[in-house]
Amino acid sequence: MSPNGCPPSGSTPPGHAMYALAKRLFPICRSITGNGFRRSLEIIAEYIPGLKVFEVPSGTQVFDWTVPKEWNIRDAYVIDPSGKKIIDFKNSNLHVMGYSTPVDQKMSLDALQGHLYSLPEQPDAIPYITSYYKERWGICLSENQRRSLSSGEYHVVIDSELKPGSLTYGEVVIPGSSEKEIFISTYLCHPSMANDELSGPVVVTELIKYLFASSDKEKLRYTYRFVLIPETIGSITYLSRNLKQLQKNVIAGFNISCVGDNRCYSYLSSRAENTLADRAALHALKFTDPNFKRYSFLDRGSDERQYCAPGIDLPVCCITRSKINEYPEYHTSLDDLNLISSEGLQGSFDVILKAFRCIELNEYLKIKVLGEPQLGKRGMYPTISTKDTREQVEDMMNFIAYLDGRLSTLEIADKINTPLWSLEETIAKLKKHDLVESVASPLPSNIDNVVELNNTIKNIV
Amino acid sequence: MSPNGCPPSGSTPPGHAMYALAKRLFPICRSITGNGFRRSLEIIAEYIPGLKVFEVPSGTQVFDWTVPKEWNIRDAYVIDPSGKKIIDFKNSNLHVMGYSTPVDQKMSLDALQGHLYSLPEQPDAIPYITSYYKERWGICLSENQRRSLSSGEYHVVIDSELKPGSLTYGEVVIPGSSEKEIFISTYLCHPSMANDELSGPVVVTELIKYLFASSDKEKLRYTYRFVLIPETIGSITYLSRNLKQLQKNVIAGFNISCVGDNRCYSYLSSRAENTLADRAALHALKFTDPNFKRYSFLDRGSDERQYCAPGIDLPVCCITRSKINEYPEYHTSLDDLNLISSEGLQGSFDVILKAFRCIELNEYLKIKVLGEPQLGKRGMYPTISTKDTREQVEDMMNFIAYLDGRLSTLEIADKINTPLWSLEETIAKLKKHDLVESVASPLPSNIDNVVELNNTIKNIV
Amino acid sequence: MSPNGCPPSGSTPPGHAMYALAKRLFPICRSITGNGFRRSLEIIAEYIPGLKVFEVPSGTQVFDWTVPKEWNIRDAYVIDPSGKKIIDFKNSNLHVMGYSTPVDQKMSLDALQGHLYSLPEQPDAIPYITSYYKERWGICLSENQRRSLSSGEYHVVIDSELKPGSLTYGEVVIPGSSEKEIFISTYLCHPSMANDELSGPVVVTELIKYLFASSDKEKLRYTYRFVLIPETIGSITYLSRNLKQLQKNVIAGFNISCVGDNRCYSYLSSRAENTLADRAALHALKFTDPNFKRYSFLDRGSDERQYCAPGIDLPVCCITRSKINEYPEYHTSLDDLNLISSEGLQGSFDVILKAFRCIELNEYLKIKVLGEPQLGKRGMYPTISTKDTREQVEDMMNFIAYLDGRLSTLEIADKINTPLWSLEETIAKLKKHDLVESVASPLPSNIDNVVELNNTIKNIV
């Protein structure tokens, strides 16, 4: 990684690369199983090395769940009483309820109504509806179109297939110096929608590309594990096959979704609320945009539900922009390529990279001299004094003032209200001048501690 | 108890029963000892089974105090210079200072003034005054009446008796499955005043009645111990005779007074501030009326002073409505039967019962499956989705998300901002489907814990 | 000390004595070494017994630093092209940059400009500038004077000497019953400025005088150690020679500077944030002026930087008035004797003495009776009831309510929102009546403790 945790300049701006990939993936009809998911993984594999694809057979027991049948769809349409094809899967794959059973049937408008789904409050939008665990079929359309239907006989065709097959997911591992891991999960099971969800996979693809390039130059401190899975059943399946390993190695994890728009940044806490992942995410976000939104674990809605479940207890939080459920276009045809932008994707890429950087830079350091070190004699003071250098010196002195091996570098950066990544040069200089030593574990803390008072007294009465 | 912690409908509304009992007890002249206290206990015994009455002789040493002489009064009056009986104990027993020594004396208005007590700022009210530990006599009257007195010779008669006897108190125990106890204390030593104090004894009487009826159907989890005592000297006496037993068994306690008006709900914390009693009271109050008033232990004024004293340290807090000292009618003749109401008493009865319910339902549960359970296959999802069922499902999923055996059910209910009693059906279903197990003690917590971060790091550097 | 922690009345008001001493010390040209510092110590020694003076040779290694050469100055001036002495050290010793090397040179205005220091934004003020660790010379003057200089040849003379010598500091110890110490540091290295810094040394001088007088009457509980040092290099030097002893004995320490103006009180926390010193300072300040300003350790700027450095970790915070860096006259000739006042110095003296008193009175007490004690029988209730006595009784009862040996007297005073020094009489009475016992260390606390809830539950499920 470059020192400030940002991508090297000069190459194609990753924001544009990410947007281009989203555009390419957009038309594919994905679901929690099936060829749309597989095809999307194939395309992503063109951009990055090391993607492994796994297939888990339908019927496999995964914790309390069962891997469902595989669903595939070739075509679907509705022909109205006048013979006109008024609904066509080729125009929008949202027209078909996900996991619809096959149908080829003529029926009255009344009978058809029982299978139609629309949004009265968003009359222009086609809703995104699925029925994974109860077999049925449905047609989704705009409320305006629905209102325009006249009575008569309709012909409905859904040329789909629901039968034993397998659930597919992808995994990429970038080895670091330590077997300890940073774990990143995103899902790839939604049909043509841009913020929820293609923004997640395309940002993750770019992160993988970037980290591989970085690790080619210098090995990363931690191993990075990325998974691209179907939501819920995918994380349950993945966990059921990898839980022990994850619990042993993962020190921080992030669920990435809805990272493509440019409206705001958001954070959703892990269940444990104060893990290294939470600290790093909060640190990266607050120094990127102090107005980022904070959500509690009670607002959760994606795979963090599984990663943080009792007994799983992984340190996983979410970095998002407009969060699922919280923006008007969510789960409708309005969540299209106009909703996301190169800038939106780039901002998310940058902030996630900063969170990674915080974890890479996090350690326990202890200053080796007593009292303040004399930095002038080591040339660690700037020779000319400007507002910038004054702030830099102040940050450096504040950082040194807390280097007692009790707070980690990330905790100190929070304490002194300075981005950890901006202290990278200071840390390097302190190490170069042999002014600090690493300690394996935090020394007993006397900060913020009422007990301290009691202990002080105890010895003297 | 019924599932929602509220009394069974169909029977006489307990609010009316409580008001009727208050009306019956109102005329009796009670004090910290004597026949008024005994007669009040006898009447209460008509309504409930199992009331045991204890007599503790005058002169008994109780901690740092001594049980005082017993005081009884037959009559008292003042005759003015014109021969008119202007003060008559039969009209209001507040006219006589509590524990007044006997007197039968003629005196000038000047001499009389030294024995008169009135409230210049509340000229219509007769104040409630006592002198338990210094022997003297006094006549209480309204400031208006006092101002109307003309000079001349007055004849004062107080036909009272102050001599060795005993201090009386009552106790009721409702055995539960566990010998661990919920302890409820109320006092019964005030003459004719309604909110402070008859509201306390009548709500307690109805709670006893209700819990006995409940335990006839199904044994309660905890044992409930109720005491009806004289304030201060009564709780000191009771504690001096039962301290070891109370410290061994009481897991939560409530001092109940001033629960009859309908102005507000209030909570006064225990000294330890965060006992199970405090948690249950706060939980019951906040979901009953979010605008309830919170008082600190510094605002204390009743028997919680003894229950929470150093060395006693019982987990006792107070649930009240308009708190002692905080309403204008307090300790005057204006605190009469118009100040309290069936609705006021009923509300207090309900909220105290909810606090009990929180304790009955409080336990450590651990979900037995990894990841979210598949509830659909167990019929635990409502078949139709309405706003109500959606909220119910959300509450259920939030509850399950925290079932890691680290937080108690009451702590989880606080966390997910849902009344614990509303989760009773969910808990029952989870147990029926064998999805949870009870754990004897909380597992080590990783919630809200900075140390967690340190520990995570410790293992990896 | 007198019971309320304030000086005995009748003697010369110490405010005036402190101001007079400041006036006497003001003209002397002090620096971090040299005769000005020595002469200032000699004058102070006239006012107090027991001042020991230490000399540490130039070149001595002190932690990461080296004691610098000694600097002395006899005279300095600038003669303008017309032959007029326009700058004269005798008028203001701020005219010479501290540690200026000697010079006797004629030069053009242009060449001179490179050695001139002024403040464009405060055109009337001579700035205070030093260059301790890089050898150079400089002339400080007002911006207005600088602008009036016309071109031509200037003659600059600085008759100074920079050569091996020693660093001087003073120390006073007032022995108490315990070898545990309260440590007070102030610095004495600034030339003619009043708030920063003479206010510090004069208040400290008066405190020493007062504590010696007190300890003559009755030994103080703790030993008091005062040091008068040059800033930064002085505290580093002092620490390097005394660290073990200080770490063993110091239970609370205060760095005293800028305590002479009358604008506000301020507090700057120790790095550990919640030491006994912090508690005592906060307690003393909040009951002196609730509007005092709170600064974090990030706002530090004086010797607390060394006392709180990692590995030093002394419990030292700062009590100041207008803090260094935070008032417009800071480090200029405007910080003169008009900025400080008898009242300002007196207020600081009083509040520091109150902080000392809080520490002297801080202990763990446990009430020996169960339940509230019967105070009436011991004459501990006032015989007449006024608003004052009611508040006193309430404070006493609140204090007793928390005397469980778990909170210290200072913690209780905070809890019940009463100055600890106002409880001194209550504590004395409780001891006289044998109602309390001291405990050597705090009993396990059950206050404010969620774990308490868990523990309660643990035993009963």
Side-chain angles (χ1 to χ4, degrees):
Chain A
M1 278 187 230
S2 66
N4 58 1
C6 284
S9 56
S11 57
T12 315
H16 290 105
M18 290 186 274
Y19 191 85
L21 176 56
K23 211 166 160 184
R24 193 171 164 205
L25 293 167
F26 192 76
I28 300 169
C29 181
R30 282 165 296 273
S31 186
I32 55 170
T33 61
N35 294 324
F37 194 102
R38 283 189 197 96
R39 177 65 192 136
S40 300
L41 273 189
E42 277 169 24
I43 292 173
I44 287 169
E46 296 173 20
Y47 295 77
I48 51 173
L51 179 72
K52 278 170 107 173
V53 176
F54 297 83
E55 300 281 348
V56 183
S58 301
T60 305
Q61 186 71 17
V62 287
F63 293 151
D64 197 43
W65 301 64
T66 307
V67 173
K69 290 179 190 162
E70 180 175 328
W71 184 68
N72 282 293
I73 182 165
R74 272 171 298 267
D75 197 8
Y77 53 85
V78 177
I79 294 172
D80 78 359
S82 72
K84 194 178 156 201
K85 194 181 269 193
I86 52 161
I87 303 272
D88 191 345
F89 175 74
K90 292 184 183 73
N91 293 335
S92 169
N93 54 33
L94 291 174
H95 277 313
V96 179
M97 170 194 274
Y99 262 64
S100 277
T101 47
V103 62
D104 181 349
Q105 204 177 327
K106 293 185 179 176
M107 59 181 71
S108 69
L109 178 57
D110 259 18
L112 179 61
Q113 287 288 5
H115 294 274
L116 296 185
Y117 297 85
S118 61
L119 297 167
E121 286 169 17
Q122 290 178 287
D124 291 326
I126 307 168
Y128 166 51
I129 309 277
T130 65
S131 180
Y132 301 134
Y133 297 98
K134 182 171 175 192
E135 296 196 359
R136 57 181 138 194
W137 64 266
I139 295 292
C140 305
L141 73 174
S142 74
E143 176 73 8
N144 285 339
Q145 185 174 23
R146 185 176 192 167
R147 282 187 202 139
S148 73
L149 301 180
S150 47
S151 59
E153 196 188 57
Y154 286 80
H155 183 190
V156 183
V157 172
I158 298 181
D159 182 10
S160 68
E161 211 174 50
L162 186 58
K163 62 176 189 188
S166 61
L167 175 154
T168 311
Y169 67 84
E171 185 184 30
V172 177
V173 176
I174 306 168
S177 300
S178 165
E179 64 173 359
K180 294 297 173 186
E181 294 182 356
I182 297 174
F183 173 73
I184 301 95
S185 179
T186 195
Y187 50 89
L188 187 63
C189 57
H190 288 33
S192 299
M193 286 178 298
N195 196 37
D196 183 21
E197 73 178 8
L198 285 174
S199 66
V202 303
V203 166
V204 157
T205 300
E206 198 62 30
L207 288 168
I208 294 168
K209 210 162 92 185
Y210 178 79
L211 292 176
F212 264 121
S214 288
S215 82
D216 279 351
K217 290 178 218 143
E218 188 190 335
K219 217 166 190 186
L220 299 163
R221 181 174 174 204
Y222 294 115
T223 296
Y224 288 75
R225 182 176 302 269
F226 290 84
V227 294
L228 297 115
I229 55 178
E231 207 176 7
T232 302
I233 187 66
S235 49
I236 288 170
T237 299
Y238 185 78
L239 284 168
S240 76
R241 294 157 62 102
N242 298 281
L243 184 58
K244 284 254 161 63
Q245 203 59 25
L246 293 168
Q247 288 181 331
K248 179 165 166 276
N249 288 335
V250 173
I251 59 161
F254 303 92
N255 191 53
I256 304 298
S257 78
C258 300
V259 285
D261 70 318
N262 207 358
R263 290 168 178 161
C264 66
Y265 290 98
S266 308
Y267 154 82
L268 186 143
S269 95
S270 74
R271 185 166 66 93
E273 294 177 13
N274 198 7
T275 69
L276 179 55
D278 293 277
R279 283 286 189 103
L282 287 167
H283 194 84
L285 285 164
K286 84 176 168 194
F287 289 110
T288 299
D289 178 1
N291 299 315
F292 76 96
K293 294 185 185 173
R294 294 177 79 126
Y295 293 98
S296 102
F297 189 65
L298 297 179
D299 302 308
R300 73 199 177 285
S302 177
D303 290 312
E304 68 277 8
R305 283 155 43 207
Q306 313 309 326
Y307 296 130
C308 297
I312 307 292
D313 292 322
L314 292 175
V316 173
C317 71
C318 304
I319 295 175
T320 82
R321 282 173 158 268
S322 289
K323 198 183 76 68
I324 57 170
N325 257 320
E326 301 287 333
Y327 59 98
E329 303 86 352
Y330 174 72
H331 273 201
T332 76
S333 55
L334 305 179
D335 186 350
D336 61 17
L337 290 165
N338 294 315
L339 188 63
I340 66 170
S341 67
S342 295
E343 293 72 28
L345 295 162
Q346 179 72 59
S348 301
F349 173 84
D350 291 346
V351 80
I352 296 167
L353 219 48
K354 280 172 180 167
F356 293 169
R357 200 75 203 127
C358 288
I359 300 170
E360 292 273 328
L361 290 173
N362 192 37
E363 63 179 319
Y364 288 86
L365 294 177
K366 196 177 170 322
I367 190 90
K368 292 169 81 172
V369 302
L370 288 169
E372 287 182 336
Q374 230 270 43
L375 295 173
K377 68 183 183 190
R378 295 179 181 89
M380 287 179 71
Y381 266 85
T383 47
I384 54 162
S385 167
T386 64
K387 192 167 172 285
D388 270 10
T389 58
R390 269 198 304 281
E391 276 179 14
Q392 232 177 308
V393 167
E394 197 179 295
D395 286 346
M396 178 172 65
M397 295 312 294
N398 281 341
F399 183 69
I400 290 171
Y402 284 94
L403 280 182
D404 61 1
R406 288 163 179 158
L407 296 178
S408 78
T409 48
L410 178 54
E411 289 168 320
I412 297 174
D414 269 331
K415 186 101 194 164
I416 70 173
N417 205 27
T418 300
L420 179 52
W421 54 87
S422 80
L423 294 164
E424 188 158 8
E425 200 183 322
T426 293
I427 295 172
K429 279 186 192 166
L430 289 169
K431 288 184 174 177
K432 188 185 130 205
H433 289 286
D434 196 28
L435 279 167
V436 290
E437 58 186 329
S438 291
V439 293
S441 56
L443 304 179
S445 172
N446 68 1
I447 305 288
D448 295 331
N449 197 346
V450 177
V451 175
E452 187 63 11
L453 173 57
N454 291 342
N455 287 345
T456 308
I457 307 293
K458 186 167 54 186
N459 302 324
I460 56 152
V461 178
Chain B
M1 278 190 229
S2 66
N4 58 2
C6 283
S9 57
S11 57
T12 314
H16 289 105
M18 290 186 274
Y19 191 86
L21 176 56
K23 208 166 161 185
R24 196 174 161 201
L25 292 167
F26 191 76
I28 300 169
C29 181
R30 281 164 297 272
S31 186
I32 55 170
T33 61
N35 293 324
F37 194 102
R38 284 189 196 96
R39 177 62 194 139
S40 300
L41 274 188
E42 277 169 23
I43 291 173
I44 286 169
E46 295 174 23
Y47 295 77
I48 52 172
L51 180 71
K52 277 169 107 174
V53 175
F54 296 83
E55 300 281 348
V56 183
S58 300
T60 305
Q61 185 72 16
V62 286
F63 294 150
D64 197 44
W65 301 64
T66 308
V67 173
K69 291 178 190 163
E70 180 173 329
W71 183 67
N72 282 294
I73 181 167
R74 271 173 299 267
D75 197 9
Y77 52 84
V78 177
I79 293 172
D80 79 357
S82 73
K84 197 179 156 196
K85 192 181 271 190
I86 52 162
I87 303 273
D88 191 344
F89 175 74
K90 292 185 183 73
N91 293 335
S92 169
N93 53 35
L94 291 174
H95 276 312
V96 180
M97 170 193 273
Y99 262 64
S100 276
T101 46
V103 62
D104 182 349
Q105 205 178 326
K106 292 183 177 176
M107 60 182 69
S108 69
L109 178 56
D110 260 18
L112 178 59
Q113 286 288 6
H115 295 273
L116 296 186
Y117 297 86
S118 62
L119 297 168
E121 285 168 18
Q122 290 178 288
D124 291 327
I126 307 167
Y128 167 51
I129 309 278
T130 65
S131 181
Y132 301 135
Y133 298 98
K134 180 171 176 195
E135 296 198 1
R136 57 181 138 195
W137 65 265
I139 296 291
C140 304
L141 74 172
S142 74
E143 176 73 8
N144 285 340
Q145 185 174 22
R146 186 176 190 165
R147 282 186 201 140
S148 74
L149 301 180
S150 46
S151 61
E153 194 187 61
Y154 286 80
H155 184 191
V156 184
V157 173
I158 299 182
D159 181 10
S160 68
E161 211 175 49
L162 185 58
K163 62 177 189 185
S166 60
L167 175 155
T168 312
Y169 68 84
E171 186 185 30
V172 176
V173 176
I174 307 168
S177 301
S178 164
E179 64 173 2
K180 294 297 173 188
E181 293 184 356
I182 297 173
F183 174 72
I184 301 96
S185 179
T186 195
Y187 50 89
L188 187 64
C189 57
H190 288 33
S192 299
M193 286 178 297
N195 195 39
D196 182 24
E197 71 178 12
L198 285 174
S199 65
V202 304
V203 166
V204 157
T205 301
E206 198 64 29
L207 287 168
I208 295 168
K209 210 163 93 184
Y210 178 78
L211 292 175
F212 264 121
S214 289
S215 81
D216 279 350
K217 289 179 216 140
E218 189 191 336
K219 216 165 191 186
L220 298 163
R221 181 174 174 204
Y222 294 115
T223 296
Y224 287 75
R225 183 176 301 271
F226 290 85
V227 294
L228 297 116
I229 55 178
E231 206 177 6
T232 303
I233 187 66
S235 49
I236 289 170
T237 300
Y238 184 77
L239 284 167
S240 75
R241 294 158 62 103
N242 297 281
L243 184 59
K244 284 254 160 65
Q245 203 58 26
L246 293 168
Q247 289 181 331
K248 180 166 167 274
N249 288 334
V250 173
I251 59 162
F254 303 93
N255 191 52
I256 304 299
S257 78
C258 301
V259 285
D261 70 317
N262 206 358
R263 290 169 178 160
C264 66
Y265 290 98
S266 308
Y267 154 82
L268 186 143
S269 94
S270 73
R271 185 165 66 94
E273 295 176 11
N274 198 6
T275 69
L276 180 55
D278 294 276
R279 283 286 189 104
L282 287 167
H283 194 86
L285 285 164
K286 84 176 170 196
F287 290 110
T288 298
D289 179 2
N291 299 316
F292 76 96
K293 294 185 185 171
R294 294 176 81 128
Y295 291 98
S296 99
F297 190 65
L298 297 179
D299 302 308
R300 73 200 179 283
S302 178
D303 290 311
E304 67 278 8
R305 283 155 43 206
Q306 313 309 325
Y307 297 130
C308 296
I312 307 291
D313 292 322
L314 292 175
V316 173
C317 70
C318 304
I319 296 175
T320 82
R321 282 175 157 265
S322 290
K323 197 184 77 69
I324 57 170
N325 257 322
E326 300 286 332
Y327 59 97
E329 303 87 351
Y330 173 72
H331 273 202
T332 75
S333 56
L334 305 179
D335 186 350
D336 62 17
L337 290 165
N338 293 315
L339 188 63
I340 66 169
S341 66
S342 295
E343 293 72 28
L345 295 162
Q346 178 73 59
S348 300
F349 173 85
D350 291 346
V351 80
I352 297 167
L353 219 48
K354 281 173 180 166
F356 293 169
R357 199 75 203 130
C358 288
I359 300 170
E360 292 273 328
L361 290 173
N362 192 38
E363 62 180 320
Y364 289 86
L365 294 177
K366 195 178 173 318
I367 192 90
K368 292 170 80 171
V369 301
L370 288 169
E372 286 183 336
Q374 230 269 43
L375 295 174
K377 69 184 182 188
R378 295 177 180 89
M380 286 179 71
Y381 266 84
T383 47
I384 54 161
S385 168
T386 64
K387 190 165 171 289
D388 270 9
T389 57
R390 268 197 305 279
E391 278 180 12
Q392 233 177 310
V393 168
E394 197 179 294
D395 286 345
M396 178 171 66
M397 294 313 292
N398 281 341
F399 184 68
I400 290 172
Y402 284 93
L403 279 181
D404 61 1
R406 288 163 180 158
L407 295 179
S408 78
T409 48
L410 178 54
E411 288 168 320
I412 297 173
D414 270 332
K415 186 103 194 162
I416 70 174
N417 205 26
T418 301
L420 179 52
W421 54 87
S422 80
L423 294 163
E424 186 158 8
E425 201 183 323
T426 293
I427 295 172
K429 279 187 192 164
L430 289 169
K431 288 183 174 178
K432 189 185 129 204
H433 288 287
D434 196 28
L435 280 167
V436 290
E437 58 186 328
S438 292
V439 293
S441 57
L443 303 179
S445 173
N446 68 1
I447 306 287
D448 295 331
N449 196 347
V450 176
V451 176
E452 187 64 12
L453 173 57
N454 291 342
N455 288 344
T456 307
I457 307 293
K458 186 168 53 185
N459 301 322
I460 56 155
V461 177
Chain C
M1 277 188 231
S2 67
N4 59 2
C6 285
S9 56
S11 56
T12 314
H16 289 104
M18 290 186 275
Y19 190 86
L21 176 56
K23 211 166 160 183
R24 196 173 161 200
L25 292 167
F26 192 77
I28 301 169
C29 180
R30 282 165 296 272
S31 186
I32 54 170
T33 61
N35 294 325
F37 194 101
R38 284 189 196 96
R39 176 65 191 137
S40 299
L41 273 188
E42 276 168 25
I43 291 174
I44 287 169
E46 296 174 21
Y47 295 77
I48 51 171
L51 180 71
K52 279 170 106 175
V53 176
F54 297 83
E55 299 283 349
V56 184
S58 300
T60 306
Q61 185 72 18
V62 286
F63 293 151
D64 197 43
W65 300 64
T66 308
V67 174
K69 292 179 190 159
E70 181 173 327
W71 184 69
N72 282 295
I73 181 165
R74 271 173 298 267
D75 197 8
Y77 52 85
V78 177
I79 293 171
D80 77 0
S82 71
K84 197 178 154 199
K85 194 181 270 191
I86 53 161
I87 302 273
D88 191 346
F89 175 73
K90 292 185 184 72
N91 293 334
S92 169
N93 53 35
L94 290 174
H95 277 313
V96 180
M97 171 194 274
Y99 261 64
S100 277
T101 48
V103 63
D104 182 349
Q105 204 178 326
K106 292 185 179 177
M107 60 181 71
S108 69
L109 177 59
D110 260 18
L112 179 61
Q113 287 287 6
H115 295 273
L116 297 185
Y117 297 85
S118 61
L119 297 168
E121 287 169 15
Q122 291 178 287
D124 291 327
I126 307 166
Y128 166 51
I129 309 278
T130 65
S131 180
Y132 301 134
Y133 298 99
K134 178 168 179 200
E135 297 196 1
R136 58 181 136 194
W137 64 266
I139 295 292
C140 305
L141 73 173
S142 74
E143 176 72 10
N144 285 340
Q145 186 175 20
R146 185 176 192 166
R147 282 188 201 138
S148 73
L149 301 180
S150 46
S151 60
E153 194 187 59
Y154 285 80
H155 184 192
V156 183
V157 173
I158 298 181
D159 181 10
S160 67
E161 209 174 52
L162 186 57
K163 61 177 189 185
S166 61
L167 176 153
T168 312
Y169 67 83
E171 186 184 29
V172 177
V173 176
I174 306 167
S177 301
S178 165
E179 65 173 1
K180 293 296 173 187
E181 293 183 357
I182 297 173
F183 174 73
I184 301 95
S185 179
T186 196
Y187 51 89
L188 187 63
C189 56
H190 287 34
S192 299
M193 286 179 296
N195 195 38
D196 183 21
E197 73 179 10
L198 285 174
S199 66
V202 303
V203 166
V204 157
T205 301
E206 197 62 31
L207 287 168
I208 294 168
K209 209 163 94 185
Y210 179 78
L211 291 175
F212 265 122
S214 289
S215 82
D216 280 350
K217 290 179 216 141
E218 189 191 336
K219 217 166 190 185
L220 298 163
R221 182 175 173 202
Y222 294 115
T223 296
Y224 287 75
R225 182 177 302 270
F226 291 84
V227 295
L228 297 115
I229 55 178
E231 208 176 6
T232 304
I233 187 65
S235 49
I236 289 169
T237 301
Y238 184 78
L239 283 167
S240 75
R241 295 157 62 100
N242 297 281
L243 183 59
K244 284 254 160 64
Q245 203 58 24
L246 293 167
Q247 288 182 330
K248 179 165 167 275
N249 287 336
V250 173
I251 59 162
F254 304 92
N255 191 53
I256 303 299
S257 79
C258 300
V259 286
D261 71 317
N262 206 358
R263 290 168 178 161
C264 66
Y265 290 98
S266 308
Y267 154 84
L268 186 144
S269 95
S270 73
R271 185 165 66 93
E273 295 176 12
N274 199 5
T275 69
L276 179 55
D278 294 277
R279 284 286 189 101
L282 287 167
H283 195 85
L285 284 163
K286 84 175 170 195
F287 289 110
T288 298
D289 179 1
N291 298 316
F292 75 97
K293 293 185 185 173
R294 294 177 80 127
Y295 292 98
S296 100
F297 189 65
L298 297 180
D299 302 308
R300 72 199 178 286
S302 178
D303 289 312
E304 66 277 8
R305 283 156 43 207
Q306 313 309 326
Y307 297 130
C308 297
I312 307 292
D313 293 322
L314 292 175
V316 173
C317 70
C318 305
I319 296 175
T320 83
R321 281 173 159 269
S322 289
K323 197 183 75 69
I324 56 170
N325 257 321
E326 301 286 333
Y327 61 97
E329 302 87 352
Y330 174 72
H331 272 201
T332 75
S333 56
L334 305 179
D335 186 351
D336 62 16
L337 290 166
N338 293 314
L339 189 62
I340 65 168
S341 66
S342 296
E343 294 71 29
L345 296 161
Q346 177 74 59
S348 301
F349 173 84
D350 290 346
V351 80
I352 296 167
L353 218 48
K354 281 174 181 166
F356 293 169
R357 200 77 204 126
C358 288
I359 300 170
E360 293 273 327
L361 290 173
N362 192 37
E363 62 179 321
Y364 288 86
L365 293 177
K366 194 177 172 319
I367 191 90
K368 292 170 81 170
V369 301
L370 288 168
E372 287 182 336
Q374 231 270 43
L375 295 173
K377 69 183 182 189
R378 294 177 181 90
M380 287 179 70
Y381 266 85
T383 48
I384 55 160
S385 168
T386 65
K387 191 165 171 289
D388 270 9
T389 58
R390 268 198 304 280
E391 278 180 12
Q392 231 178 308
V393 168
E394 198 179 293
D395 286 345
M396 177 172 66
M397 295 313 293
N398 281 341
F399 183 69
I400 290 172
Y402 284 93
L403 279 182
D404 60 1
R406 288 164 179 158
L407 296 177
S408 77
T409 48
L410 177 54
E411 288 168 320
I412 297 174
D414 269 331
K415 186 104 194 163
I416 70 174
N417 206 26
T418 300
L420 179 52
W421 54 85
S422 80
L423 293 163
E424 187 158 7
E425 201 184 321
T426 292
I427 295 172
K429 279 187 191 165
L430 289 170
K431 288 182 174 178
K432 189 184 127 203
H433 288 286
D434 196 29
L435 279 168
V436 291
E437 57 187 330
S438 291
V439 293
S441 57
L443 303 179
S445 171
N446 69 0
I447 304 287
D448 295 331
N449 196 346
V450 177
V451 175
E452 186 64 12
L453 173 56
N454 292 343
N455 287 346
T456 308
I457 306 294
K458 186 167 53 184
N459 301 323
I460 56 153
V461 177

